[in-house]
Amino acid sequence: MFNKQDNYRDLGIFLLRLGIGAMFIYHGSPKMFGGVEVWGKLGMAMKFLGVNFAPVFFGFMSALTEFGGGILLILGLLTRPVSLLLAFNMTVAVALKFGTGAGLGGASQALELGIVFLSLFLIGPGKYSIDARFNKKYM
């Protein structure tokens, strides 16, 4: 079994994209459809990176990244750029947690997911993806 591990690499990447994508749709949908008030509160997290303007815009973009990014991850469409956007979202979440005094314990989930997204950026979408249909490397 272990000598054929590489045979399951693409299936493993697909399961990772499917699971993480589904959870980001789940967590992102209340933010996405929460409206201006929710987006404003969400966007205020940017102050921990020194950005103190347009919180509604940044909140909407964060919600769109989580919700839409989850969909795109499942499809394996634009996997690498979406992974970078989601990694940035997690960077803001980590900054928020540290900025509000939650420490590493509070920031750990966002930090772990940021590592997952950076890994997906480097690994790529695998052959079970729409991206693979446009890139002969995966065929």
Side-chain angles (χ1 to χ4, degrees):
M1 176 180 164
F2 291 112
N3 59 351
K4 295 185 179 188
Q5 280 179 314
D6 283 345
N7 293 344
Y8 302 105
R9 177 185 178 276
D10 290 301
L11 180 59
I13 295 169
F14 172 70
L15 290 175
L16 177 65
R17 286 191 354 256
L18 180 67
I20 297 294
M23 292 312 298
F24 267 74
I25 292 168
Y26 174 75
H27 287 289
S29 61
K31 298 170 189 170
M32 183 70 208
F33 302 111
V36 174
E37 185 177 330
V38 170
W39 301 334
K41 288 178 183 176
L42 187 59
M44 292 298 290
M46 290 294 287
K47 73 180 179 184
F48 294 102
L49 295 180
V51 177
N52 296 309
F53 59 91
V56 172
F57 170 77
F58 287 114
F60 174 75
M61 295 309 292
S62 175
L64 180 62
T65 298
E66 283 191 30
F67 182 74
I71 294 168
L72 292 172
L73 276 183
I74 288 172
L75 296 173
L77 179 61
L78 302 171
T79 304
R80 284 190 159 114
V82 165
S83 294
L84 281 181
L85 290 172
L86 286 164
F88 177 75
N89 241 27
M90 295 302 98
T91 300
V92 175
V94 168
L96 168 71
K97 293 298 184 177
F98 278 113
T100 57
L104 185 58
S108 62
Q109 182 180 13
L111 184 58
E112 292 158 0
L113 286 167
I115 293 166
V116 167
F117 293 128
L118 289 176
S119 298
L120 274 174
F121 172 75
L122 294 171
I123 295 168
K127 71 179 181 180
Y128 303 120
S129 65
I130 293 175
D131 288 338
R133 305 285 285 165
F134 298 107
N135 186 341
K136 292 183 183 189
K137 171 186 169 190
Y138 297 107
M139 299 305 272

